Amino acid sequence: MSNINTMELKKAVVADIKAKFEAAQSAVLVDYRGLTVEEVTNLRSECRKAGVDYVVLKNTMIELAAKEMGIEGMEAYLKGPTAVAFGMNDPASPAKILADTIKKTKKMQLKCALIENKVLDAAGAQALADLPSREVLIARIMGSLNAPVTNFVYAIEAIRKQKAGEGEGAAEAAAE
């Protein structure tokens, strides 16, 4: 009887992991070895602030959920202790938070990232962490859109000043 309950529990855990993968814009897997309780508490706090769900999961459960979703290539990263940061609002935020924690503590290691059911290796997860924030990207686009108009205004102003300067320069030359 207990085997049936254990199987049902495992199925429920796998279904929960699968639901999190489906709801998240991205997921970043990390080896969390060596973190102190205080460091984990700080990491969880940072994750909560950014709308990231950080959970420690069993590799076999992650693998089963990935298989059910048709995700290939994740098995290679499911060795050793694994925590998953699910980015619900911003795809880059879990990678950024984890990369910052790795820089501070020098204790964790990025394993991989999952975006739109595509597995990225550790370098891909780091590249995701290095992306500028959404606000910075929007500001850059707005700057690019404003640049032609701004340059046109500066050109017109320079022409006006040049014509005004020529008139003044001619009057000064005649006065001398």
Side-chain angles (χ1 to χ4, degrees), residues 6 8-9 22 25 32 40-41 61 70 72 83 94 96 120 132 137 141 151 156:
T6 304
E8 292 301 318
L9 267 169
E22 290 171 343
Q25 291 187 17
Y32 61 90
V40 171
T41 303
M61 299 295 128
E72 295 179 13
K96 287 178 185 295
L120 305 174
L137 289 174
I141 290 170
N151 291 339
I156 297 295

Side-chain angles (χ1 to χ4, degrees), residues 35 43 96-106 108:
L35 289 181
L43 173 60
K96 287 178 185 295
I97 292 168
L98 293 172
D100 287 344
T101 302
I102 290 170
K103 284 179 190 172
K104 289 176 192 171
T105 64
K106 297 179 182 18
M108 294 175 28

Side-chain angles (χ1 to χ4, degrees), residues 7-175:
M7 289 299 290
E8 292 301 318
L9 267 169
K10 287 182 179 181
K11 285 181 183 178
V13 170
V14 169
D16 184 48
I17 294 169
K18 184 179 170 188
K20 285 184 181 193
F21 275 128
E22 290 171 343
Q25 291 187 17
S26 70
V28 179
L29 282 68
V30 65
D31 181 339
Y32 61 90
R33 268 186 273 217
L35 289 181
T36 65
V37 173
E38 182 182 353
E39 290 166 339
V40 171
T41 303
N42 291 339
L43 173 60
R44 288 181 187 274
S45 174
E46 288 296 316
C47 287
R48 268 192 299 278
K49 289 177 192 172
V52 174
D53 189 11
Y54 177 85
V55 289
V56 175
L57 298 170
K58 288 190 171 198
N59 291 330
T60 54
M61 299 295 128
I62 297 170
E63 188 173 356
L64 289 171
K67 282 183 182 175
E68 282 187 19
M69 294 176 65
I71 299 168
E72 295 179 13
M74 190 177 276
E75 304 84 27
Y77 303 105
L78 298 175
K79 309 274 188 276
T82 304
V84 184
F86 295 96
M88 301 303 181
N89 302 325
D90 177 21
S93 60
K96 287 178 185 295
I97 292 168
L98 293 172
D100 287 344
T101 302
I102 290 170
K103 284 179 190 172
K104 289 176 192 171
T105 64
K106 297 179 182 18
K107 293 181 183 175
M108 294 175 28
Q109 187 176 20
L110 291 174
K111 289 184 172 188
C112 68
L114 182 73
I115 297 180
E116 296 179 3
N117 292 348
K118 302 284 187 273
V119 178
L120 305 174
D121 61 4
Q126 184 61 50
L128 184 62
D130 294 337
L131 282 176
S133 69
R134 183 175 186 266
E135 291 77 20
V136 170
L137 289 174
I138 290 172
R140 286 182 184 172
I141 290 170
M142 294 306 293
S144 296
L145 292 174
N146 282 339
V149 174
T150 304
N151 291 339
F152 178 72
V153 169
Y154 284 136
I156 297 295
E157 183 64 15
I159 291 170
R160 186 192 66 75
K161 286 181 180 178
Q162 184 180 16
K163 288 190 177 194
E166 286 176 5
E168 290 175 14
E172 288 174 9

